[in-house]
């Protein structure tokens, strides 16, 4: 079974500053995938970034980047140059090849952006 | 391209009743997954359908069921509703089938179910 843990219930960041969200996971699979999903107050969840476990290079999408530490089973998300629109719940999630679209989610981190 | 559409958006039921929720995936997506979101349990996987077949199932009682139609639209049904079934039910569609392992899901806005 996979588990995903987000230890920060809430994080606050000043506009234009950087914030890092923590995520740890546990899995016995070798071929797995990690994700960060964003759920704004309107509730529609969107994929922010995706990382394949076999890739050593950290994924990056514009202002969003991850720090994937495979040995430590850590997968943190860095939001650079924070914008008001970044305010949302952020969920870390994992799946493995055979599980397909069955994602295991962490409890979420609420990000507040101060103008 | 239209996104994932879920209906109804809000509904109120009483204990013992049943409810059916509908989900229309993005055009061309053949995989539909359902998740339950509650403040206490967070996001939990219910089931996934691909080409009208259930490919994966979460740890929910048999009161929770689903199906998928030939046009990829999906419905989920909850029978004999309990207070604890109050939740946001999210549907997500994907191009990849179960087993492809991409996990890249496109979510709808959800159906908010309140059980009184």
């Amino acid at each position: 079974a996979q588990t995903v843990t987000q230890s920060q219930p809430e994080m606050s960041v000043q506009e234009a500053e950087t914030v890092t969200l923590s995520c740890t996971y546990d899995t016995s699979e070798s071929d797995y995938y990690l994700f960060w999903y964003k759920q704004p107050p309107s509730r529609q969840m969107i994929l922010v970034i995706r990382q394949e476990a076999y890739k050593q290079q950290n994924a990056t999408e514009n202002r969003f980047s991850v720090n994937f530490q495979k040995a430590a089973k850590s997968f943190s998300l860095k939001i650079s140059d924070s914008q008001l629109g970044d305010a949302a719940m952020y969920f870390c999630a994992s799946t493995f090849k055979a599980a397909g679209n069955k994602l295991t989610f962490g409890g979420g981190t609420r990000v507040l952006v101060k103008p | 391209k239209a996104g994932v559409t879920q209906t109804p958006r809000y509904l109120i039921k009483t204990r013992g009743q049943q409810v059916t929720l509908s989900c229309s995936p993005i055009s061309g997506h053949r995989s539909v997954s359902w998740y339950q979101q509650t403040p206490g349990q967070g996001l939990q996987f219910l089931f996934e359908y691909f080409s009208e077949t259930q490919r994966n199932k979460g740890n929910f009682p048999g009161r929770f069921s689903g199906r998928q139609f030939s046009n990829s639209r999906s419905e989920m049904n909850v029978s004999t509703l309990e207070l604890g079934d109050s939740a946001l039910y999210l549907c997500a569609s994907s191009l990849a089938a179960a087993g492809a392992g991409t996990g890249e899901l496109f979510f709808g806005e959800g159906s908010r179910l309140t059980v009184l």
Side-chain angles (χ1 to χ4, degrees):
Chain A
Q2 297 194 315
T3 61
V4 178
T5 303
Q6 295 178 248
S7 59
Q8 306 151 318
E10 188 174 283
M11 295 286 283
S12 184
V13 62
Q14 205 72 35
E15 200 175 3
E17 301 279 298
T18 295
V19 64
T20 299
L21 311 183
S22 300
C23 173
T24 57
Y25 63 93
D26 193 17
T27 181
S28 57
E29 303 289 333
S30 57
D31 192 1
Y32 60 91
Y33 306 81
L34 299 166
F35 311 86
W36 281 97
Y37 276 87
K38 171 186 177 182
Q39 188 178 41
S42 66
R43 302 179 312 184
Q44 189 167 29
M45 194 132 50
I46 57 173
L47 177 65
V48 175
I49 203 163
R50 172 177 179 264
Q51 174 85 42
E52 292 97 333
Y54 63 85
K55 288 187 177 178
Q56 293 186 334
Q57 187 173 6
N58 289 324
T60 299
E61 287 289 343
N62 300 314
R63 298 181 295 105
F64 298 87
S65 61
V66 298
N67 184 3
F68 176 43
Q69 300 291 323
K70 193 170 184 177
K73 295 185 176 177
S74 170
F75 183 62
S76 61
L77 174 70
K78 184 170 80 171
I79 307 174
S80 304
D81 186 26
S82 296
Q83 301 174 0
L84 294 177
D86 295 334
M89 283 291 290
Y90 287 80
F91 294 95
C92 180
S94 72
T95 190
F96 55 95
K97 195 166 180 66
N101 294 319
K102 178 181 179 180
L103 298 183
T104 299
F105 284 90
T109 297
R110 182 177 304 280
V111 172
L112 306 173
V113 182
K114 297 180 180 178
Chain B
K1 207 175 203 182
V4 177
T5 304
Q6 292 188 245
T7 57
R9 292 288 308 279
Y10 303 90
L11 63 166
I12 300 173
K13 294 286 187 178
T14 56
R15 279 179 297 174
Q17 287 187 311
Q18 74 165 15
V19 67
T20 298
L21 309 178
S22 178
C23 173
S24 293
I26 291 172
S27 178
H29 286 193
R30 294 166 64 190
S31 168
V32 174
S33 305
W34 289 89
Y35 288 82
Q36 182 196 64
Q37 186 175 21
T38 61
Q41 299 299 316
L43 280 152
Q44 293 184 287
F45 173 81
L46 280 156
F47 25 65
E48 178 185 10
Y49 288 87
F50 183 84
S51 292
E52 303 177 64
T53 301
Q54 187 180 90
R55 295 301 181 95
N56 224 329
K57 190 177 190 305
N59 295 323
F60 279 82
R63 300 186 297 108
F64 291 81
S65 63
R67 59 178 175 169
Q68 187 180 33
F69 302 95
S70 58
N71 62 357
S72 294
R73 190 178 70 85
S74 177
E75 289 181 347
M76 68 162 283
N77 183 277
V78 188
S79 62
T80 319
L81 284 166
E82 300 177 0
L83 295 178
D85 297 333
S86 294
L88 180 66
Y89 290 89
L90 294 171
C91 168
S93 74
S94 172
L95 267 175
T102 70
E104 294 185 58
L105 304 181
F106 295 81
F107 284 85
E109 293 190 356
S111 293
R112 170 75 65 186
L113 170 66
T114 301
V115 182
L116 302 177

